[in-house]
């Protein structure tokens, strides 16, 4: 009964979101409260209080109590905000109009709702975010008693804190939840339906046919499949768990060591949210945060080259590694060998993504574009029995989407608590000022501090949540240092993603290690090594906006103007991959591997506004090109032709 109820509520949540986002009937406050209510109720029914107590009848009965309280708390916000219920408003005013004059009942309901949000978040994603939100709540209350180093303020009573964080539109029901509702959840539904048409399986089959017979074929299959599927899901952990179950065994069977196979999948999955056109939740948050505002087409345009460079580096690394280790080329199953690359499932997939891009380009909003693209893919899928989505499949797709999205709903609600406190206490202006003072207006130092902050914060949080917090707290710093706003936000977004493969808490790598049955730390270090280019690209595109197809002023730049910058970056990625894998045309010893990494550093040198010992960008690139020629010549002379074609 519980499973059926969860599936039914999940389908209702998905249908409600599709309808309300496109044809709104409720006030913004009410629609977010309804969205949160569905998500939190499903969360309490789906995730147990504790994994060890999942079958305990008494404890599981508590879930029903919490679900009921969630309906009461969110329902109260809806009733007290929606004009339809004006007759039962307290004091004849809506909840928003009586801010600062909340009744005792308002406070009680708000406090219960706040606790429910924190508990739902703990159940779905762990302790880190609830603890962080609690620290911020304590900060709001204890402001007058804090030392100067902890940004003291005048302090607020519990009524004001609860009102700010739960009852009104600057807390739980604010930007984070709005982005999840308006953009992210629709793409989760989109991906779920593509899965049930067979289009996502086509990605894997296509990748296997394309790379299956090349050196390191299974690893290349993983890289391509993870990149495409990660763009749809936006979750590095979910992508690792999905693609890793079949690509990791493929790699180990062809000769890759388990921790290397896990590292490849984790690194490839972590970059998926950086790939246009879908990207991850952080990309949609940029639409709400960046000032001056940008369009989603601008974000996609800026993300194309860095995403291509990231996956080019991964493909080169696994190719070089496979050639060095002598990995065997696995046999492709006979039925896949005979299968045509042109299949109806592929037509559905490319039609879905193609129509999505087309709708965005002609000016439709992201939510309307993904809705129309979903309609296009379902209509097209109906013309083939293999891809057709029946009513039963459609119900399952809607229900599955909710299970994939409820953790994001809870996380967004908790982030809203943090954002509410940041707004209430003025921390959003104090913290950037402290970072500026610490960096002494040095852009490189500020970038390093932001990178470290993003990675540490991202170790325990979903990358989109990490981005939102860092963009709110630190985003203004980069603007004051003269960085193009879109480049600044992409910088933060990248390092939120890279935290998924940064030990000691590399969540994507740890998910891969459980599939590969390899050591946590060895897999994490392998993933970190393979994703190393992801740590250099953000610095490059901040100092070289040409990689984002922009000028230094943030204006669109013609491709021919930025082509030299892109070419140098590609040439820099080759020695980086060779140094990491220890192979170019032949094995590289320690000396030549080190020289390859030095070559990469010179070619990937940031350049603008940053010089080491007075070294100019052009000189660094010229020296790098000379060293690349030397490394390539050495490796070519010592190549083993028979082995190179393994």
């Amino acid at each position: 009964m519980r499973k059926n109820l969860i599936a039914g509520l999940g389908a209702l949540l998905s249908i409600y979101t599709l309808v309300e986002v496109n044809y709104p009937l409720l006030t913004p406050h009410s629609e977010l409260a309804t969205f949160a209510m569905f998500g939190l109720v499903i969360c309490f029914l789906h995730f147990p209080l504790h994994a060890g107590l999942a079958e305990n009848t008494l404890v599981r009965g508590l879930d029903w109590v919490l679900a009921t309280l969630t309906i009461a708390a969110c329902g109260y916000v809806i009733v007290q905000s929606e004009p339809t219920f004006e007759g039962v408003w307290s004091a004849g005013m809506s909840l928003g109009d009586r801010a600062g004059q909340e009744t005792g009942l308002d406070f009680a309901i708000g406090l219960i709702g706040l606790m429910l949000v924190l508990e739902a978040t703990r159940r779905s994603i762990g302790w880190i975010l609830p603890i962080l939100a609690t620290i911020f709540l304590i900060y709001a209350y204890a402001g007058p008693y804090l030392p100067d180093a902890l940004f003291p303020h005048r302090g607020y009573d519990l009524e004001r804190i609860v009102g700010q964080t739960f009852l009104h539109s600057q807390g739980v029901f604010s930007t984070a939840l709005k982005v999840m509702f308006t953009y992210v959840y629709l793409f989760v539904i989109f991906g779920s339906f593509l899965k049930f048409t067979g289009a996502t399986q086509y990605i894997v089959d296509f990748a296997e046919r394309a790379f299956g017979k090349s050196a390191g074929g299974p690893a290349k299959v993983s890289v391509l499949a993870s990149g495409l599927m990660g763009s749809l899901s936006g979750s590095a952990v979910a992508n690792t768990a999905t693609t890793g179950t079949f690509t990791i065994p493929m790699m180990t069977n062809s000769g890759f060591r388990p921790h290397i196979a896990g590292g490849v999948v984790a690194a490839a999955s972590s970059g998926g949210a950086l790939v246009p056109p879908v990207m991850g939740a952080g990309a949609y948050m940029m639409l709400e945060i960046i000032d001056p505002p940008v369009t989603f087409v601008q974000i996609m345009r800026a993300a194309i080259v860095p995403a291509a460079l990231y996956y080019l580096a991964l493909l080169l690394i696994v190719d070089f590694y496979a050639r060095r280790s002598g990995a065997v080329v696995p046999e492709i199953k006979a039925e896949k060998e005979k299968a045509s690359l042109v299949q109806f499932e592929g037509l559905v997939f490319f039609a879905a993504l193609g129509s999505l891009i087309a709708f965005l380009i002609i000016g439709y909003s992201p939510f309307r574009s993904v809705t129309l693209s979903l309609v296009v893919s379902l209509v097209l899928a109906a013309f083939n029995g293999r891809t057709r989505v029946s009513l039963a499949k459609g119900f399952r797709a809607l229900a599955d989407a909710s299970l994939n999205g409820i953790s994001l709903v809870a996380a967004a609600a908790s982030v809203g608590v943090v954002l509410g406190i940041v707004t209430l206490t003025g921390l959003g202006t104090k913290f950037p000022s402290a970072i500026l003072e610490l960096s002494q207006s040095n852009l490189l130092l500020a970038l390093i501090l932001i990178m470290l902050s993003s990675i540490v914060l991202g170790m325990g949080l979903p990358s989109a949540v990490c981005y939102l917090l860092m963009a709110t707290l630190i985003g203004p710093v980069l603007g004051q240092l003269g960085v193009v706003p879109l480049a600044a936000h992409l910088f933060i977004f990248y390092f939120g993603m890279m935290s998924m493969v940064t030990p000691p808490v590399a969540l994507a790598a740890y998910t891969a290690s459980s599939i590969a049955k390899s050591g946590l730390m060895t897999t994490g270090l392998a993933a970190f090594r393979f994703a190393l280019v992801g740590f250099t690209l953000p610095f490059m595109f901040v100092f070289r906006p040409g990689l984002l197809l922009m000028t230094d002023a943030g204006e669109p730049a013609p491709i021919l103007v930025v082509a030299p910058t892109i070419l140098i970056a590609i040439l820099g990625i080759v020695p980086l991959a060779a140094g990491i894998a220890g192979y170019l045309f032949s094995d590289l010893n320690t000396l030549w591997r080190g020289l390859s990494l030095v070559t990469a550093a010179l070619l990937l040198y940031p350049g603008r506004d940053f010089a080491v010992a007075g070294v100019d960008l052009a000189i660094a690139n010229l020296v790098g090109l000379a060293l690349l020629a030397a490394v390539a010549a050495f490796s070519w002379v010592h190549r083993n032709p028979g082995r190179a074609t393994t």
Side-chain angles (χ1 to χ4, degrees), residues 104-118:
L105 181 60
D106 291 343
F107 172 71
I109 293 291
L111 186 60
I112 291 171
L114 186 57
M115 296 300 104
L116 289 169
V117 166
L118 297 178

Side-chain angles (χ1 to χ4, degrees), residues 568-586:
I568 290 294
I570 293 173
L571 292 175
I573 282 172
V574 174
L576 177 65
I580 292 171
Y583 185 96
L584 187 54
F585 298 110
S586 62

Side-chain angles (χ1 to χ4, degrees), residues 20-86:
E20 182 65 23
V21 167
N22 287 282
Y23 303 100
L25 299 173
L26 304 175
T27 62
H29 203 52
S30 297
E31 67 182 12
L32 292 182
T34 305
F35 182 64
M37 180 179 69
F38 273 111
L40 297 183
V41 167
I42 296 171
C43 187
F44 284 122
L45 296 180
H46 181 66
F47 294 104
L49 178 70
H50 186 276
L53 300 173
E55 302 304 322
N56 186 294
T57 304
L58 182 62
V59 173
R60 290 300 271 175
L62 176 64
D63 300 341
W64 295 97
V65 174
L66 296 180
T68 303
L69 288 174
T70 299
I71 294 172
C74 293
Y76 182 81
V77 172
I78 296 167
V79 169
Q80 295 295 314
S81 303
E82 196 61 33
T84 305
F85 304 105
E86 186 175 358

Side-chain angles (χ1 to χ4, degrees), residues 541-591:
F541 62 60
V542 165
F543 288 104
R544 301 188 196 178
L547 292 176
L548 301 179
L549 304 182
M550 295 189 301
T551 65
D552 289 351
E555 299 295 326
I559 188 65
L560 292 179
V561 173
V562 299
T565 301
I566 297 172
L567 178 61
I568 290 294
I570 293 173
L571 292 175
I573 282 172
V574 174
L576 177 65
I580 292 171
Y583 185 96
L584 187 54
F585 298 110
S586 62
D587 290 356
L588 299 176
N589 59 28
T590 303
L591 173 63

Side-chain angles (χ1 to χ4, degrees), residues 237 240-241 244 248 258-259 261-267 506-518 520 523 527:
V237 174
T240 300
I248 288 176
H259 71 281
V264 169
V265 171
L507 298 181
Y510 292 174
T511 302
S513 74
S514 67
I515 300 171
K517 296 181 174 57
S518 56
L520 293 178
T523 306

Side-chain angles (χ1 to χ4, degrees), residues 118-204:
L118 297 178
E119 170 59 11
T121 308
R122 183 198 67 80
R123 290 185 179 212
S124 57
I125 68 169
W127 283 97
I128 300 296
L129 186 52
I131 290 174
L132 182 65
T134 302
I135 290 172
F136 272 81
L137 290 169
I138 294 171
Y139 170 76
Y141 183 79
Y145 314 106
L146 297 173
D148 291 342
L150 296 180
F151 310 107
H153 56 88
R154 67 184 183 87
Y156 298 90
D157 57 30
L158 288 178
E159 288 78 5
R160 181 68 185 279
I161 293 171
V162 169
Q164 176 81 3
T165 55
F166 187 82
L167 296 175
H168 305 303
S169 58
Q170 292 182 313
V172 168
F173 310 114
S174 64
T175 302
L177 197 62
K178 179 183 177 183
V179 168
M180 292 299 169
F181 173 67
T182 308
Y183 305 114
V184 178
Y185 194 81
L186 290 179
F187 281 94
V188 173
I189 297 172
F190 179 62
S192 183
F193 271 97
L194 282 183
K195 172 186 173 183
F196 277 87
T197 64
T200 50
Q201 181 59 42
Y202 172 81
I203 297 172
V204 180

